[in-house]
Amino acid sequence: MRIVCIGGGPAGLYFALLMKKENPAHHITVVERNKPYDTFGWGVVFSDATMENMRRWDPPTCEEIEQSFSHWDDIELRFKGRRIRSGGHGFVGIGRKRLLNILQARCEALGVELQFEAEVDSDLAFPDADLIIAADGINSRTRTLYAEQFKPDIVTRPNRFIWLGTHKLFDAFTFDFRRTEHGWFQAHIYKFDAKTTTFIVECPETVWRAHGLDTADQEASVAFCERLFAESLEGERLMTNARHLRGSAWLNFQRVTCEHWWLRNANGAHVVLMGDAVHTAHFAIGSGTKLALEDAIELVRQFRQHGDTPDRIPAVLAQFQELRRVETLRIQNAAWNAMEWFEACGTRYCDQLEPEQFMYSMLTRSQRISHENLRLRDRTWLEGYEQWLAEHARRAAGVETEPAAAPVAPVPPMFTPYRARSVLLKNRVVVSPMAQYSAVDGIAGDYHLVHLGARAMGGAGLVFAEMTAPSPEARITPGCPGLWNDVQMQAWQRIVHWVHEHTDARIAMQLGHSGAKGSTRRAWDGEDRPLPDDGSEPNWPLVSASTQQYLPGVSHPAREITRTEMDAVRDEFVAATVRAAAAGFDWMELHCAHGYLLSSFISPLTNQRTDAYGGSLENRLRYPLEVFAAMRAVWPDHLPMSVRISAHDWVEGGITPADAVEIARAFKVAGADLIDCSSGQVSKRQKPTYGRMFQTPFADRIRQEAGIATIAVGAISEADHVNSIIAAGRADLCAVARPHLANPAWTLTEAARIGYTAIAWPNPYRSAKPQLEAGFAREKAQSGRP
């Protein structure tokens, strides 16, 4: 085959040499705009997995690269006058110029033709080519030329960064944070050869402009960075090799993804994008070069498997795209998380977190590194942090501990205490409110006693009752519990008394009004479907902030609630709150999420009112805040109240995470102690981005920016998840739902799984504790895990 690689970066060069090695009969040309053995950039970072992959495919190249590597295990944080170091991270770096020189020399040795100082305006300039590799970088002309076919999605991020170098050598991958009068700057620093270090300086656009860097030339920008990071530079200078750029050397990162990766051009040649031309990964996790090299490996692998003749190209490219898309999205998602962390750290973490917790948050920013993964990397550091966090939590909760006669094992973050007003929780695990649809006439019966009692015995610190209605018309289904009369209150009182007598868990009531989502069948009979018209269980009229039909053409229409009715509903919430206090609940939560009545006021998707309760977010919050304030006034002052909100509607024009911060601030002013951060379920048009802990970022943002404690919910299913969330300060509590349906003793089970034996079991169950712990210990030993 005749193959042309447009662009002499890592993707194009490595593909060329591997393909030539596979079949020397191929005629392969690499066309590069720069001069021979000339390139721009400082150091690039590899992972051990990428190097192992390269070693299998071309040992000579791998060996030469390894000889030029700088290797380090440690990450060091320089922050607020402190230096904190964690080991076991295993990075390798090499100068970009050195890497490309090695690849260029290997190409020449194998017989690849290299053409330098050659501009390529179009892939059509190579009429004899069978295959064209468009590895022409982030500003790919090829991608632009065929934008309609490749369908690129290019997102320009808000932070500014400048890529510099220095002869000051650092022995760890160093992150240096500096506060100025206008905000925070951070430097990403890593050595890549025996005399040079990469030094990337980053800051928000507002901070960049406030310092006049938008009008500064490169020389002035470098001088500014030298002054800012003088303490770390210790007299060394910063250097730029971006003189080829016009104007400022400060850039905005661009995230590139493409819907399609390849096509056939007018000459009949197949054109495939590779490297930064088709996908980019933020430097916060250093994976751009990794993606480029592994693109090259996978494409060669596919030619090996399918055949390397022109007729096999379509099958090869189709499979290449399918396989690489999955891996690329995984890396890009991790890079996106890391990038967003650095973009937001100045407003969200730098001022709020102490250095110890800031370090943990930074290390786990991509969500690829979990709590137990950190233990594998550096047990000593993590256990030291766990001890710090546990002591910090005990002090905050007002829990005194007697000095231990001997060293004790660190307490995992999920098992640290938490206090809200007078209520002390023994740990950070919450049994989430889960609708059971098993009440009769709104009365919680024996089923609820067994359901909630079992979970209270299962080790969680707080157990929530399901959403309970303050009136018959506030129910979702006829099977929902209520608190509109004293019989219901007495039924709840029996359950609360049992939990208090037999467990050390606390129990919470959640009150909510179904609004437009009411008068429906139980979930197993047809979720969100109206009650049948056979009269067995009559439907009831529905109200909402504005006239709506939750399921168009299916749900019963809800009419706009009147001001008089709003007063009546508020009073029903107040009466139910008084009954909840009389029943002995430890905690109250108001449900303002998921499209129910109070949520329908908050979301612009469901609130089209033209009175004082519609329009701006301030107006839309007015009624939910009225209800909350009225409840807070009658709920005992020493007991906490939380509010569940939908922090993201996942629909264009709906509530956004930025709105959620303002919502949380408003409820905080009204007296809320925590925000329970859910999302969605307001509109069937929603398009959530699911994944493990997918709603935790909402809790994180609200906690840091609104300055109120939060409960994280959603796809939290392992102790590792809870420990990571609590340790990083992303939330104060973690609500676990479905795993608690499957296993009422989920908390006790997860403690045994991670080897935490200091947790107390209910006395009647204690004989099972050592057996469960021994079973998990054997399983761990057999797997070879430490």
Side-chain angles (χ1 to χ4, degrees):
M1 289 194 298
R2 297 186 68 86
I3 301 170
V4 175
C5 298
I6 304 174
L13 288 170
Y14 199 56
F15 173 79
L17 73 86
L18 291 183
M19 199 66 177
K20 189 69 172 178
K21 181 185 174 188
E22 285 286 301
N23 187 345
H26 293 315
H27 185 277
I28 305 176
T29 304
V30 177
V31 184
E32 167 59 38
R33 65 185 300 183
N34 294 319
K35 297 178 182 179
Y37 296 97
D38 187 18
T39 186
F40 298 99
W42 295 101
V44 294
V45 179
F46 284 20
S47 69
D48 291 339
T50 300
M51 287 309 302
E52 186 59 37
N53 214 0
M54 295 177 73
R55 187 173 294 109
R56 288 194 297 268
W57 282 87
D58 188 42
T61 301
C62 183
E63 289 169 8
E64 190 167 1
I65 289 173
E66 286 181 322
Q67 291 174 7
S68 301
F69 267 150
S70 290
H71 183 275
W72 63 94
D73 284 325
D74 292 353
I75 291 178
E76 180 171 291
L77 169 67
R78 300 183 179 190
F79 179 63
K80 295 181 177 178
R82 297 276 303 282
R83 291 189 181 186
I84 302 176
R85 184 174 287 215
S86 166
H89 300 282
F91 293 98
V92 287
I94 185 173
R96 177 177 170 82
K97 183 174 182 177
R98 177 61 181 149
L99 171 64
L100 296 187
N101 290 170
I102 291 171
L103 298 180
Q104 288 162 356
R106 182 64 172 152
C107 281
E108 289 179 331
L110 290 169
V112 174
E113 180 184 350
L114 302 181
Q115 295 181 8
F116 293 99
E117 298 183 79
E119 292 283 354
V120 178
D121 294 322
S122 169
D123 56 294
L124 298 178
F126 309 100
D128 297 332
D130 299 300
L131 175 66
I132 297 174
I133 307 297
D136 48 349
I138 191 169
N139 298 312
S140 170
R141 291 183 182 178
T142 311
R143 186 187 66 225
T144 302
L145 184 64
Y146 296 106
E148 290 187 5
Q149 291 93 325
F150 290 128
K151 297 184 179 178
D153 179 18
I154 303 175
V155 179
T156 300
R157 300 305 300 174
N159 268 23
R160 291 281 180 164
F161 68 93
I162 185 169
W163 207 292
L164 304 172
T166 179
H167 290 311
K168 163 68 178 174
L169 299 181
F170 292 76
D171 63 352
F173 199 128
T174 302
F175 295 94
D176 193 347
F177 291 79
R178 300 284 164 170
R179 200 185 200 292
T180 72
E181 66 272 28
H182 299 300
W184 287 87
F185 284 78
Q186 61 256 12
H188 309 241
I189 309 166
Y190 55 93
K191 184 178 69 173
F192 63 85
D193 64 27
K195 60 179 182 179
T196 324
T197 295
T198 295
F199 205 103
I200 308 170
V201 179
E202 181 185 9
C203 67
E205 177 94 8
T206 53
V207 177
W208 180 71
R209 290 186 179 278
H211 281 282
L213 295 170
D214 55 326
T215 59
D217 60 18
Q218 292 187 36
E219 184 176 346
S221 291
V222 171
F224 173 86
C225 294
E226 284 180 346
R227 292 192 300 273
L228 183 60
F229 293 98
E231 182 181 1
S232 290
L233 289 169
E234 296 181 326
E236 289 288 350
R237 304 296 301 273
L238 288 173
M239 305 174 289
T240 177
N241 61 9
R243 305 297 182 189
H244 62 292
L245 296 177
R246 294 182 178 178
S248 174
W250 293 86
L251 305 173
N252 294 91
F253 176 75
Q254 289 188 317
R255 194 289 310 270
V256 176
T257 59
C258 292
E259 185 173 332
H260 299 293
W261 291 26
W262 63 279
L263 54 79
R264 193 164 189 174
N265 69 15
N267 290 338
H270 288 87
V271 181
V272 58
L273 300 177
M274 193 180 288
D276 282 352
V278 69
H279 48 57
T280 56
H282 192 262
F283 55 82
I285 64 170
S287 291
T289 304
K290 165 189 170 69
L291 287 175
L293 294 171
E294 293 186 349
D295 280 351
I297 290 172
E298 188 57 52
L299 187 52
V300 174
R301 190 198 317 275
Q302 292 307 313
F303 274 114
R304 177 185 287 183
Q305 293 179 358
H306 289 82
D308 60 350
T309 56
D311 62 302
R312 304 307 300 156
I313 293 176
V316 166
L317 296 184
Q319 188 68 6
F320 166 73
Q321 174 179 318
E322 185 66 24
L323 293 174
R324 287 301 293 159
R325 183 195 298 278
V326 175
E327 174 64 9
T328 295
L329 287 176
R330 185 182 71 82
I331 296 296
Q332 283 190 309
N333 286 341
W336 185 275
N337 293 336
M339 172 194 68
E340 285 195 320
W341 190 93
F342 280 107
E343 289 174 351
C345 66
T347 56
R348 199 173 297 170
Y349 307 116
C350 289
D351 292 318
Q352 292 87 333
L353 302 183
E354 295 185 48
E356 289 83 357
Q357 192 163 52
F358 187 87
M359 176 68 163
Y360 186 99
S361 180
M362 185 185 73
L363 289 176
T364 58
R365 63 191 181 275
S366 71
Q367 297 186 26
R368 291 194 306 172
I369 299 176
S370 67
H371 193 76
E372 292 308 311
N373 187 262
L374 280 175
R375 196 181 309 279
L376 291 175
R377 293 170 183 241
D378 190 341
R379 175 182 290 272
T380 301
W381 177 83
L382 182 65
E383 290 186 352
Y385 176 65
E386 286 178 327
Q387 290 173 340
W388 178 89
L389 188 69
E391 181 57 33
H392 190 274
R394 285 192 291 268
R395 288 199 307 269
V399 176
E400 294 185 5
T401 56
E402 297 181 3
V408 296
V411 178
M414 66 186 288
F415 293 112
T416 57
Y418 180 78
R419 182 181 297 276
R421 301 204 181 207
S422 68
V423 175
L424 178 65
L425 304 183
K426 62 181 178 180
N427 61 50
R428 306 304 184 98
V429 180
V430 174
V431 176
S432 195
M434 295 175 285
Q436 300 297 293
Y437 309 118
S438 299
V440 177
D441 295 327
I443 300 172
D446 289 347
Y447 173 87
H448 298 84
L449 174 63
V450 173
H451 170 68
L452 293 171
R455 281 145 189 86
M457 293 182 70
L462 179 65
V463 177
F464 265 97
E466 65 199 270
M467 187 178 95
T468 299
S471 70
E473 297 77 20
R475 293 173 296 170
I476 306 168
T477 77
C480 291
L483 255 178
W484 63 81
N485 62 45
D486 289 343
V487 174
Q488 295 162 347
M489 182 273 290
Q490 291 162 4
W492 282 119
Q493 188 176 49
R494 171 184 175 229
I495 294 169
V496 171
H497 176 73
W498 194 97
V499 169
H500 286 164
E501 183 177 8
H502 296 283
T503 81
D504 54 1
R506 303 294 91 193
I507 184 167
M509 166 55 62
Q510 185 190 71
L511 290 177
H513 190 298
S514 62
K517 299 175 74 172
S519 192
T520 62
R521 308 179 193 196
R522 296 164 181 84
W524 50 84
D525 291 329
E527 189 172 16
D528 290 332
R529 302 285 163 171
L531 292 170
D533 293 326
D534 58 11
S536 57
E537 292 179 310
N539 283 284
W540 54 84
L542 305 179
V543 293
S544 184
S546 299
T547 300
Q548 64 155 307
Q549 193 174 24
Y550 178 63
L551 291 179
V554 176
S555 301
H556 285 304
R559 61 175 176 79
E560 182 172 293
I561 188 171
T562 67
R563 176 63 261 188
T564 300
E565 291 169 326
M566 289 163 63
D567 289 342
V569 169
R570 179 201 61 211
D571 294 345
E572 290 165 353
F573 270 104
V574 169
T577 302
V578 171
R579 290 191 176 96
F585 281 100
D586 304 297
W587 189 295
M588 171 61 69
E589 180 164 286
L590 177 61
H591 203 317
C592 292
H594 301 168
Y596 296 132
L597 178 61
L598 298 181
S599 169
S600 74
F601 273 87
I602 298 172
S603 175
L605 300 175
T606 49
N607 185 340
Q608 287 85 44
R609 299 178 73 97
T610 57
D611 60 7
Y613 297 92
S616 66
L617 178 59
E618 181 182 6
N619 283 357
R620 300 196 309 272
L621 277 168
R622 191 185 303 270
Y623 181 58
L625 288 171
E626 285 181 9
V627 173
F628 178 86
M631 293 170 62
R632 180 72 265 185
V634 298
W635 182 246
D637 187 63
H638 68 284
L639 297 180
M641 280 188 70
S642 56
V643 181
R644 173 166 281 210
I645 68 170
S646 285
H648 197 328
D649 284 345
W650 303 105
V651 177
E652 185 76 24
I655 290 295
T656 67
D659 294 328
V661 173
E662 297 307 314
I663 294 167
R665 285 176 175 147
F667 278 110
K668 177 185 177 182
V669 171
D673 299 290
L674 294 94
I675 301 296
D676 195 348
C677 304
S678 187
S679 71
Q681 303 182 54
V682 172
S683 168
K684 286 296 184 181
R685 294 184 288 123
Q686 68 181 14
K687 294 182 179 179
T689 302
Y690 292 114
R692 61 188 179 91
M693 304 183 287
F694 75 106
Q695 295 179 143
T696 299
F698 308 139
D700 187 7
R701 181 171 182 176
I702 288 169
R703 185 178 191 267
Q704 315 306 341
E705 294 186 17
I708 186 171
T710 59
I711 306 174
V713 307
I716 299 170
S717 59
E718 302 173 8
D720 211 16
H721 296 166
V722 180
N723 282 326
S724 297
I725 292 168
I726 301 302
R730 295 187 174 102
D732 299 272
L733 301 172
C734 289
V736 179
R738 289 177 177 86
H740 272 130
L741 286 180
N743 180 5
W746 180 86
T747 306
L748 298 179
T749 303
E750 288 300 295
R753 192 187 308 276
I754 64 174
Y756 181 63
T757 60
I759 189 170
W761 280 45
N763 288 336
Y765 293 171
R766 286 175 61 183
S767 61
K769 182 175 184 284
Q771 183 181 50
L772 184 66
E773 291 168 348
F776 282 125
R778 282 194 305 271
E779 181 183 302
K780 183 182 291 187
Q782 290 169 359
S783 70
R785 301 194 309 271

